Amino acid sequence: MPGPLGKDLLGLAPLSAAQIELILDTAGPFREISERAIKKVPTLRGATIVNLFFEASTRTRISFEFAEKRLSADTVNVASAGSSVSKGETLVDTARNLEAMKIDMVVIRHSASGAARFLAERIESNVINAGDGTHEHPTQGLLDMLTLRDRFGSLKGKRICIVGDVLHSRVARSNIWGLTKLGAEVAVCGPRSLLPNAIEDMGVTVIDRIEDAIAWADALNILRLQLERMQAGYIPSLREYNRVFGVTSARLERAPKDLLILHPGPMNRGVEIDSDVADGPHSVILDQVTNGVAVRMAVLYLLAGGKPELAEAAKKGNA
Amino acid sequence: MAHPIGTRDLLIKGGRIVDPSQGLDAVGDVLLRNGVVEACGGSLGTPDGAEVLDATGLVVAPGFIDVHVHLREPGREDVETVASGAHSAVAGGITAVCAMPNTKPVTDNQAVVGFVKRQGEAAGYARVYPYGAISVGQKGETLAEIAEMVGAGAVAFSDDGKPVESAQLMRTALEYARAFNVPIAEHCEDMTLARGGSMNEGIMSAKLGLKGIPAEAEEIYVIRDILLAKRTGGHIHLCHLSTKGSVELVRWGKERGINVTAEVCSHHISLTEDAVDGYNTNAKMNPPLRTAEDVEALQQGVADGTIDLLVTDHAPHHYDEKEREFADAPNGIVGLETALGVNTTYLLHRGLINLSQLVDAMSCKQARIFRLPGGSLARGGLADVTVFDPNKVWTCDPTQFKSKGRNTPYGGHTFTGQARYTIVGGRVVYTAA
Ligand SMILES: [Zn+2]
Ligand SMILES: [Zn+2]
């Protein structure tokens, strides 16, 4: 029986505001489990989950693994570099093999946009997108939203600016879809060469100068700058990037109000973010990490068909 | 061996003959004898022993030609052969095709040109006219032996699949080819802008997180090549145009009397980038599907004659080659069997062009611009005829394709307009079920 989210979580674009709220609401009770001495409930006992990481991502994989283990699921990790020659065959064959092994859920990270959907269309198991190419990273978007909602109470009317390489960021797209659905105002700020030039059509504002973004925003979500963007010619140098777009404490001091600082990690300290900002009083970067586990537990639970009203019971270990 | 010729007279009776090459649009008969048109128009008697084909209610047109197809032989006979491609053509009402040279090995010498031509003759379906490559190995470095290939039967030259990146080489090709009266056909794509891209650059690519190919990647080459044609007086033929800007640039060139001709593919006048949504690899092609504004401009370009030809860029692939992540999937679709249906549905029945314009763009002008035999039912013309029903409603079922390819974005689409009989050299080589 399909749960309240449907079969898969492929992105935040296909979800309704109510579904997103449901995940965030469900994450709350699950977060408390992580604060106990015995951080485990039997909710997904007997379920088998494969974490299929075609692209290295220690943070996301560990976060999913904790979420799965805390729900008592049996997990298998498959890491594969994915041979560039026969990627497509690998993914089709992988799908066939997973189907044959009667897996309940698959968490997939892949370097190709659309890979999670590709898999979901070919297997019965629930598929969770843990990042596909430069498309979406829905659980990261959700954990960002949970972090913001905790601080703001509601996202309605809040101004969130995503800073940096939006062009190549799956986090940015999930943030844009999710935040706008819950009524936040979203802007992006970064070098124009790293912003899709149709980005305005997604309902966001472009702010060219980081000073203006800081003056406008209630929160900054600072994206990691992939260092190879410089070699690829998208920006002249890391030094110039830091000088023009870097979020520094000097810039934040001139802000009209305090703003929250988010970063999906891992950070390039001294490039997109300065250390004193990352470790400063307005940083919620470690809350994001905590919330990541809770959001992923909520998603696993809801996709497994869990009833929202039973989330509290699940927490107590009775569901 | 030449293409087979019908041994009996064939009388096509009572159809609506639409042949812009003679300004003809009237109900009448067409008599084919010894591979050529014996008589056309009016009520003709049935000669002794003649086969009679009742074309009442149907359109009788000079055989359709498609100057832009990929037949994959030599090299990828598993995907398509000259024979299966030529069979696919006649199933779509197309009696002659020009085969692009990006084969393995590349069709860049007289031996391969001759081979492709002979395979076409042996198959006995559509006529197959080989392209030769502009540069050796399509490497963009040195000019291939154009004159020798013309001697072996090449009718045009192209490095299609990729652009001629060197403007100097393109200039030389245009100059050199002048003496042989053959067009130089360009795949317009600035690779420094397009590389890594897999769809149109715009809102859809932003949403899907796919690297886009901007319209300017095409337009920069369109204007470069028009200017080189102006400089050299050579004949530049621009392949598969996909953007509004390209149409405007071609119009600019034609207004100045520059020797430029242009084609569009059926898919570009009927589909937008929205077809890619959901990472549909059957909608992945190069140039990519663009926006509604571009589609409208291309349709307008066909209607006002800025765009000369309707082609397919027929590009079969194995099913499993398309069954992969979008960015890694190959470009192209099977086009020959849906082209007429697309063109009648999206251009004719929407009132953008009339029957004469349709036949002109699919037949007469193809022959004229590429200096091919055919494209006319005037007495003495080739006995290649397409008999079609512009009002026949049908649904595209890729499993029925004669092509070896199944990759089409039109599976399940309903079209109005279908070929009923395809006649090559006075022989009926295809009859619709
Ligand atoms: Zn091409
Ligand atoms: Zn082509």
Side-chain angles (χ1 to χ4, degrees):
Chain A
M1 221 198 61
L5 302 182
K7 183 172 96 64
D8 311 298
L9 179 70
L10 302 181
L12 298 190
L15 294 189
S16 67
Q19 286 173 313
I20 293 172
E21 299 268 19
L22 173 64
I23 299 170
L24 301 184
D25 292 345
T26 308
F30 280 120
R31 187 163 46 194
E32 291 169 34
I33 294 169
S34 303
E35 282 154 17
R36 296 186 194 165
I38 297 170
K39 303 173 176 56
K40 211 172 175 92
V41 289
T43 314
L44 292 184
R45 187 150 46 195
T48 48
I49 304 181
V50 173
N51 299 313
L52 197 58
F53 278 63
F54 288 93
E55 190 185 75
S57 171
T58 312
R59 285 168 175 251
T60 303
R61 187 179 54 74
I62 288 176
S63 181
F64 266 107
E65 220 176 316
F66 273 131
E68 290 154 3
K69 287 193 164 38
R70 284 174 192 180
L71 294 172
S72 304
D74 295 321
T75 65
V76 178
N77 292 321
V78 181
S80 160
S83 94
S84 58
V85 193
S86 57
K87 260 190 224 158
E89 280 134 330
T90 304
L91 202 47
V92 173
D93 291 343
T94 305
R96 289 187 188 126
N97 284 316
L98 289 172
E99 195 68 351
M101 285 188 281
K102 311 293 175 207
I103 305 297
D104 296 296
M105 290 191 179
V106 178
V107 177
I108 177 174
R109 158 69 66 105
H110 199 283
S111 60
S113 300
R117 179 177 173 139
F118 182 95
L119 191 66
E121 285 170 350
R122 283 161 184 81
I123 62 177
E124 297 281 323
S125 328
N126 308 107
V127 172
I128 299 173
N129 182 4
D132 63 327
T134 55
H135 177 225
E136 282 222 48
H137 190 354
T139 56
Q140 177 72 43
L142 289 162
L143 75 87
D144 293 342
M145 293 170 75
L146 182 62
T147 308
L148 291 164
R149 208 180 69 163
D150 284 345
R151 297 296 178 120
F152 292 140
S154 160
L155 290 170
K156 224 167 222 89
K158 289 296 171 198
R159 295 169 158 189
I160 318 297
C161 186
I162 302 165
V163 182
D165 181 2
V166 174
L167 187 64
H168 300 98
S169 171
R170 45 194 166 217
V171 177
R173 284 174 180 75
S174 289
N175 266 266
I176 290 169
W177 294 121
L179 290 166
T180 53
K181 279 179 194 201
L182 294 199
E185 282 182 57
V186 180
V188 295
C189 175
R192 287 271 180 167
S193 54
L194 289 174
L195 304 178
N197 57 33
I199 192 82
E200 284 99 337
D201 297 337
M202 287 177 77
V204 306
T205 311
V206 175
I207 301 176
D208 279 313
R209 303 188 61 83
I210 189 68
E211 293 81 1
D212 297 339
I214 288 169
W216 175 86
D218 296 308
L220 298 182
N221 195 351
I222 304 160
L223 302 175
R224 172 180 168 80
L225 183 79
Q226 301 286 338
L227 303 181
E228 60 267 25
R229 300 301 169 218
M230 190 180 80
Q231 280 95 39
Y234 286 96
I235 53 166
S237 71
L238 296 180
R239 180 180 158 276
E240 175 160 305
Y241 184 89
N242 179 258
R243 288 174 71 101
V244 180
F245 295 101
V247 179
T248 61
S249 51
R251 284 189 168 124
L252 287 179
E253 271 159 26
R254 286 194 288 275
K257 57 180 179 294
D258 289 336
L259 33 79
L260 295 183
I261 300 295
L262 293 87
H263 192 300
M267 292 179 277
N268 297 305
R269 292 166 182 260
V271 182
E272 72 267 7
I273 189 167
D274 277 5
S275 271
D276 48 357
V277 174
D279 305 328
H282 305 297
S283 164
V284 290
I285 294 170
L286 292 175
D287 296 350
Q288 288 174 274
V289 178
T290 307
N291 286 335
V293 179
V295 154
R296 287 169 181 129
M297 287 170 82
V299 166
L300 291 163
Y301 170 77
L302 292 169
L303 281 180
K307 302 247 183 328
E309 62 275 18
L310 295 182
E312 284 292 329
K315 184 183 74 176
K316 295 185 185 80
N318 305 327
Chain B
M1 194 188 105
H3 221 76
I5 288 173
T7 47
R8 293 164 67 191
D9 289 357
L10 179 64
L11 182 70
I12 305 166
K13 233 183 142 42
R16 176 174 171 187
I17 306 170
V18 177
D19 180 6
S21 81
Q22 342 171 45
L24 185 62
D25 183 350
V27 172
D29 303 342
V30 177
L31 179 64
L32 308 177
R33 177 176 294 165
N34 295 331
V36 293
V37 178
E38 175 70 19
C40 174
S43 181
L44 304 172
T46 311
D48 285 348
E51 195 180 338
V52 178
L53 196 156
D54 180 10
T56 310
L58 303 175
V59 173
V60 178
F64 295 151
I65 300 169
D66 183 348
V67 300
H68 192 144
V69 305
H70 296 269
L71 298 183
R72 308 298 185 206
E73 185 180 0
R76 284 303 304 271
E77 291 82 356
D78 55 326
V79 177
E80 192 85 291
T81 59
V82 171
S84 66
H87 194 183
S88 179
V90 296
I94 293 162
T95 60
V97 297
C98 296
M100 280 296 178
N102 60 336
T103 47
K104 291 171 190 159
V106 170
T107 310
D108 64 357
N109 60 75
Q110 56 176 343
V112 187
V113 169
F115 168 77
V116 171
K117 199 173 149 70
R118 284 192 301 278
Q119 293 297 91
E121 285 165 357
Y125 293 113
R127 297 176 198 275
V128 177
Y129 300 110
Y131 267 89
I134 293 170
S135 66
V136 174
Q138 292 193 313
K139 289 196 170 77
E141 290 158 7
T142 45
L143 210 55
E145 290 171 338
I146 286 177
E148 235 175 38
M149 285 192 274
V150 168
V155 296
F157 292 83
S158 181
D159 275 357
D160 185 49
K162 39 188 171 179
V164 176
E165 293 194 33
S166 157
Q168 175 57 40
L169 182 68
M170 179 49 92
R171 176 193 171 149
T172 309
L174 284 164
E175 279 167 341
Y176 190 80
R178 278 190 68 177
F180 309 101
N181 221 11
V182 285
I184 297 293
E186 172 83 297
H187 167 117
C188 298
E189 183 180 18
D190 183 316
M191 297 309 296
T192 62
L193 284 172
R195 193 164 282 120
S198 54
M199 65 171 302
N200 181 48
E201 181 177 324
I203 177 65
M204 188 58 78
S205 65
K207 283 180 181 173
L208 293 177
L210 292 169
K211 186 173 181 330
I213 302 173
E216 289 74 13
E218 174 173 305
E219 293 156 5
I220 285 167
Y221 269 58
V222 167
I223 193 60
R224 183 199 78 167
D225 290 349
I226 290 174
L227 293 174
L228 291 173
K230 175 167 171 276
R231 164 63 53 186
T232 60
H235 174 185
I236 187 77
H237 177 75
L238 302 172
C239 294
H240 47 51
L241 296 183
S242 70
T243 78
K244 182 183 180 185
S246 292
V247 179
E248 287 166 357
L249 293 170
V250 171
R251 197 171 285 135
W252 179 90
K254 287 191 166 179
E255 277 166 5
R256 276 153 192 78
I258 298 167
N259 196 359
V260 53
T261 56
E263 62 181 41
V264 286
C265 301
S266 301
H267 44 265
H268 288 127
I269 56 102
S270 58
L271 299 172
T272 68
E273 62 179 359
D274 291 351
V276 174
D277 202 5
Y279 302 97
N280 177 11
T281 56
N282 279 326
K284 186 183 179 194
M285 45 202 82
N286 187 16
L289 297 172
R290 305 283 188 183
T291 68
E293 198 186 359
D294 294 305
V295 170
E296 207 175 297
L298 294 170
Q299 292 177 337
Q300 198 49 52
V302 176
D304 67 21
T306 304
I307 303 294
D308 301 280
L309 309 180
L310 288 161
V311 301
T312 64
D313 199 2
H314 177 78
H317 293 289
H318 259 312
Y319 174 72
D320 58 357
E321 290 177 308
K322 282 281 192 182
E323 173 108 338
R324 60 168 63 191
E325 302 91 311
F326 192 88
D328 292 334
N331 289 305
I333 68 166
V334 169
L336 290 164
E337 293 169 63
T338 48
L340 177 60
V342 174
N343 297 341
T344 47
T345 305
Y346 286 87
L347 296 173
L348 180 71
H349 293 301
R350 292 193 178 176
L352 294 160
I353 62 172
N354 59 31
L355 267 175
S356 287
Q357 286 175 290
L358 177 81
V359 172
D360 214 16
M362 291 189 76
S363 175
C364 313
K365 280 200 277 185
Q366 307 247 2
R368 205 160 67 231
I369 289 170
F370 275 62
R371 294 139 195 133
L372 304 173
S376 175
L377 295 178
R379 189 182 152 83
L382 271 191
D384 293 2
V385 187
T386 301
V387 180
F388 67 100
D389 181 350
N391 300 312
K392 171 76 178 174
V393 177
W394 62 287
T395 301
C396 172
D397 174 6
T399 64
Q400 300 302 308
F401 282 170
K402 301 291 182 268
S403 167
K404 289 191 179 187
R406 298 285 175 268
N407 48 306
T408 173
Y410 297 113
H413 280 229
T414 296
F415 298 117
T416 306
Q418 191 182 43
R420 306 307 296 166
Y421 304 97
T422 308
I423 299 159
V424 177
R427 284 167 58 236
V428 179
V429 291
Y430 177 79
T431 305

